[in-house]
Amino acid sequence: MTNTPRLYERATATAAPFDALWDISGGRTFFCGPLYYNANHQHGAPVFLAGLYGKFRLKVAGSDWLSCRTAVIPAGVWHELDVGGDPVAVFYIEPTIAGTEALLPLIRDTRPVNGALVGNGGEINFMRELYEDRYHPNWSGQPLVDLLDFSKRRSQADRLDPRISQIVEFLFAQGDDLTSVLTLAANVGLSASRLQHLFSQQIGVPFRRYRSWNRMRQAIQEVIKGQNFTTAAHATGFSDSAHFSHEFRKTFGAAPTVGLHNLARLQP
């Protein structure tokens, strides 16, 4: 294998078309579908990645391109993906549920790479079965709940500072009403500067970055319920669809049309 990236290469014209499966429920976000090239980006929550039918290429900030079958990437770690049009599973968990440690039991045959963990095995068959069952009328995200509960029991996850947990839960429950940092900090007995320091330390990204991630997650939820980009953008605090698209690229490294079209599952 060479170190030359396969950037933007699409699947062959004869390949079967893939579509996207989304499930956003509680404190998890699950995507399965084809990806091509996702430019350098970082998430506001830790993520587990799995190539459903083969390896994908990953570049973590400061590393060379490498080939792997699975990866766990903590919040705030910059990375690029080069998948070539094949379907990949992307599974995020919010700090209201657990931290990066809860994803570690999902990956095997691992090695650390600049803050991320890459592997050649893990819960691949489980993710593939969920994707291949996406048209079943009784499709449910309950297996993801069971898997995450199992992983949490096996992990040694640290608990969040209760003040940070309270703020994250507020943002999550309220849909982020843009309450000021000063007000949020005062509500939990912290100064704004102390809140932002502690937040970055515990969550892995600055408060402002997590707030943007939280709003993006809500906008995606609106789209997969059937709203167009403009309506979803306005409903979640973006000025218009262009603003939403710009922030989506910053968050995922690709245009929203890559993952938010031809949906197999609409999750309320």
Side-chain angles (χ1 to χ4, degrees), residues 4-9 36 55-57 82-86:
T4 303
R6 183 188 53 216
L7 307 184
Y8 299 101
E9 178 182 332
Y36 297 93
K55 293 184 176 183
F56 58 91
R57 290 167 60 81
D82 180 22
V83 186
D86 294 327

Side-chain angles (χ1 to χ4, degrees), residues 49-100:
L49 302 168
L52 298 190
Y53 301 101
K55 293 184 176 183
F56 58 91
R57 290 167 60 81
L58 171 67
K59 185 176 183 180
V60 182
S63 78
D64 294 326
W65 283 96
L66 52 90
S67 178
C68 57
R69 193 68 189 273
T70 54
V72 169
I73 303 176
V77 173
W78 290 92
H79 60 286
E80 299 175 57
L81 288 175
D82 180 22
V83 186
D86 294 327
V88 63
V90 185
F91 185 33
Y92 305 92
I93 54 171
E94 298 300 314
T96 50
I97 302 299
T100 305

Side-chain angles (χ1 to χ4, degrees), residues 170-247:
F170 172 81
L171 295 177
F172 195 79
Q174 297 299 319
D176 191 357
D177 62 355
L178 300 182
T179 302
S180 72
V181 174
L182 283 172
T183 299
L184 290 172
N187 287 344
V188 296
L190 293 171
S191 67
S193 60
R194 178 57 181 161
L195 164 63
Q196 294 187 75
H197 173 78
L198 193 58
F199 197 96
S200 295
Q201 183 183 65
Q202 295 228 318
I203 304 301
V205 292
F207 173 78
R208 184 174 181 179
R209 186 75 189 94
Y210 181 78
R211 173 169 252 172
S212 176
W213 163 261
N214 188 52
R215 188 192 309 154
M216 178 59 63
R217 187 177 183 272
Q218 294 159 12
I220 293 171
Q221 229 173 346
E222 292 298 312
V223 173
I224 64 178
K225 286 193 294 185
Q227 303 291 351
N228 60 40
F229 288 173
T230 299
T231 303
H234 289 159
T236 52
F238 295 99
S239 56
D240 52 30
S241 61
H243 182 202
F244 167 69
S245 295
H246 175 74
E247 291 299 317

